[in-house]
Amino acid sequence: MSTTATRTSNQITDILQKLGVHETNSGVSTGAKWSAGNGEQLISHSPVDGAEIGKVRGADRAEYDATIERAHEGFKEWRTWPAPKRGEVVRQLGEALRKHKADLGKLVSYEMGKSYQEGLGEVQEMIDICDFAVGLSRQLHGLTMHSERPEHRMYEQWHPMGVVAIITAFNFPVAVWNWNTALAWVCGNVCIWKPSDKTPLCSIACQHITQEVFKRNGVPEGVSCVVNGGREVGEWISNDSRISLVSATGSTRMGKAVSTAVGQRLGRSLLELGGNNAIIISDKADLDMSLIGAVFGAVGTCGQRCTSTRRLIIHDKVYDSFRDKLVKAYGQLRIGDPLDERNHVGPLIDEQAVTMYVNALASAKEQGATLLVEGGRLRGAGYESGCYVKPAIVEAKPNMPIVQEETFAPILYLLRYAGTVDEAIAIQNGVKQGLSSAIMTLDLREAERFLGATGSDCGIANVNIGTSGAEIGGAFGGEKETGGGRESGSDAWKTYMRRQTNTINYGSSLPLAQGIKFDL
């Protein structure tokens, strides 16, 4: 290990201790209590420098079952707390995250590989969703309806579901967990978190921060649980009828497996899966502004966001000029240690991701695409982990098989269109995924057409901003093979609750609905 890697690793050890993590052997917790961790051993290696950060033991089946039982016990009490009181606990968690933002952001950056600025941004998302959930805790409203029967009143109310399991991916190792928990907790549920086996230390840090707040407020054990482990833990969760809702973020392949297992037991799932996101660059676009959105969307988090820009659909009139701007901008990208804020691009998560990236570029060549910026693996000083690659730009055709796929890496496909915006929209919609989309145009008619019923078929459709990044407040999610789930803002809270319709008869007779007569 290099001197720089040793220094950084020691800094992360200090950060973990500041976050309350003094040992990382066990990755199984029902709250303040940590189990032995008798399951699979997970070794966290930083993609930044290849250093081993720590070893974490996951759960065996007995520990998993004990965690589920403890969560159910905690639910019995937690559901009786008034929602605003639950919201106050979440408010305090937001304050704790503000206190630990710099340290947790650095841990995210080092364990996952995204830039330090993006690590800070991820923690800010956690803070923002806590703020959102606090207000929501006083607005868990239901409708009132007029009854067709005299002296009757109808209304609906929402109740907590029970145990919510959250399966998260490596690329957002903390924010997506909190997107779910902040809402689930104020709704009265308890949560079990199965983190990515590539970023276990982030989960342990979050649990320590959370339990510091929960202990201060007398929150029962079992309201926040962590169950680290490999694929089998996800399978236990998916097949477990004791779990009311499974929220899973990851690949479409993984989502199909989760959906099948949960569906067979008639459970409920919330899926946030793959994205093959496109930006349409109209001939009426502001090209300078478009450049910023396209470059950040394509190379941010080294192309490992579900909202990363994979395709640029560029009008023929501006294709050459915009292509040249893009190639020049890629030549100015600085690739290296993401904790160095001068760098734009950090590493991919691991060797497997690098192999997928290399294979995708090879497939693009075989299918007749042209590599404008060839990309490739980076070696030598500063790239010791072996996970650093160059962002690539590829001229391609919309129907090429590789363009139809989502490669979780910084590969950007350039596609031409020559006709109206309808042609560009058809190209954009012509993939199996439907997460995020954008159009760059100063033409109001084009923008409105893109946002209309015959426009983008994605869950997110933007005008004059890129595909990557989302604010707390709007519901996040997509259609088709993206899974159809919605997290975060708007009325996504309803996903975490069960709806109940109530009818009250305050009269002295019992008339039946639809005028049915039944006399005794």
Side-chain angles (χ1 to χ4, degrees), residues 111-143:
E111 189 172 32
M112 184 266 145
K114 65 177 58 178
S115 74
Y116 180 49
Q117 280 299 312
E118 291 182 85
L120 293 175
E122 185 167 346
V123 181
Q124 186 62 49
E125 283 193 59
M126 302 172 77
I127 295 167
D128 293 343
I129 195 64
C130 285
D131 289 349
F132 179 86
V134 173
L136 184 65
S137 69
R138 294 180 180 271
Q139 300 181 66
L140 300 175
H141 56 271
L143 299 174

Side-chain angles (χ1 to χ4, degrees), residues 280-326:
I280 297 171
I281 310 292
S282 165
D283 59 324
K284 303 174 185 68
D286 179 328
L287 296 187
D288 290 334
M289 187 166 65
S290 301
L291 184 67
I292 297 170
V295 174
F296 176 74
V299 308
T301 321
C302 202
Q304 296 173 114
R305 292 184 175 216
C306 51
T307 55
S308 289
T309 306
R310 312 285 177 203
R311 298 174 295 147
L312 289 186
I313 304 165
I314 309 170
H315 195 282
D316 198 56
K317 290 181 180 178
V318 296
Y319 184 92
D320 291 345
S321 60
F322 192 76
R323 177 199 58 202
D324 294 345
K325 284 176 177 286
L326 198 62

Side-chain angles (χ1 to χ4, degrees), residues 323-358:
R323 177 199 58 202
D324 294 345
K325 284 176 177 286
L326 198 62
V327 170
K328 182 179 179 182
Y330 268 53
Q332 297 170 348
L333 292 174
R334 293 186 294 274
I335 306 166
D337 183 349
L339 293 172
D340 183 341
E341 295 189 60
R342 294 171 297 180
N343 291 327
H344 299 107
V345 185
L348 289 171
I349 185 65
D350 57 19
E351 291 274 353
Q352 182 181 4
V354 174
T355 299
M356 290 175 63
Y357 159 87
V358 171

Side-chain angles (χ1 to χ4, degrees), residues 30-31 67 70-72 74-75 190-192 220-225:
T30 58
T67 301
R70 180 65 267 181
H72 273 279
F75 176 61
V190 299
C191 296
I192 293 178
E221 190 81 4
V223 174
S224 177
C225 303

Side-chain angles (χ1 to χ4, degrees), residues 212-395:
E212 178 185 322
V213 174
F214 279 22
K215 181 179 180 181
R216 194 164 61 236
N217 287 273
V219 174
E221 190 81 4
V223 174
S224 177
C225 303
V226 176
V227 184
N228 271 285
R231 179 177 178 176
E232 73 284 349
V233 176
E235 292 173 347
W236 296 341
I237 287 171
S238 299
N239 290 285
D240 196 334
S241 60
R242 296 170 295 180
I243 294 174
S244 301
L245 172 68
V246 179
S247 174
T249 302
S251 68
T252 297
R253 179 187 55 79
M254 179 275 288
K256 287 180 177 179
V258 171
S259 178
T260 299
V262 175
Q264 285 180 339
R265 61 178 176 84
L266 297 181
R268 287 167 59 176
S269 58
L270 189 169
L271 303 176
E272 297 290 354
L273 310 175
N276 193 351
N277 315 295
I279 300 177
I280 297 171
I281 310 292
S282 165
D283 59 324
K284 303 174 185 68
D286 179 328
L287 296 187
D288 290 334
M289 187 166 65
S290 301
L291 184 67
I292 297 170
V295 174
F296 176 74
V299 308
T301 321
C302 202
Q304 296 173 114
R305 292 184 175 216
C306 51
T307 55
S308 289
T309 306
R310 312 285 177 203
R311 298 174 295 147
L312 289 186
I313 304 165
I314 309 170
H315 195 282
D316 198 56
K317 290 181 180 178
V318 296
Y319 184 92
D320 291 345
S321 60
F322 192 76
R323 177 199 58 202
D324 294 345
K325 284 176 177 286
L326 198 62
V327 170
K328 182 179 179 182
Y330 268 53
Q332 297 170 348
L333 292 174
R334 293 186 294 274
I335 306 166
D337 183 349
L339 293 172
D340 183 341
E341 295 189 60
R342 294 171 297 180
N343 291 327
H344 299 107
V345 185
L348 289 171
I349 185 65
D350 57 19
E351 291 274 353
Q352 182 181 4
V354 174
T355 299
M356 290 175 63
Y357 159 87
V358 171
N359 290 343
L361 289 178
S363 294
K365 283 184 178 180
E366 291 171 4
Q367 293 167 26
T370 301
L371 273 60
L372 292 178
V373 177
E374 289 210 357
R377 194 170 190 166
L378 291 168
R379 305 277 191 180
Y383 307 123
E384 289 87 354
S385 71
C387 296
Y388 290 88
V389 300
K390 298 176 185 177
I393 300 176
V394 181
E395 285 188 311

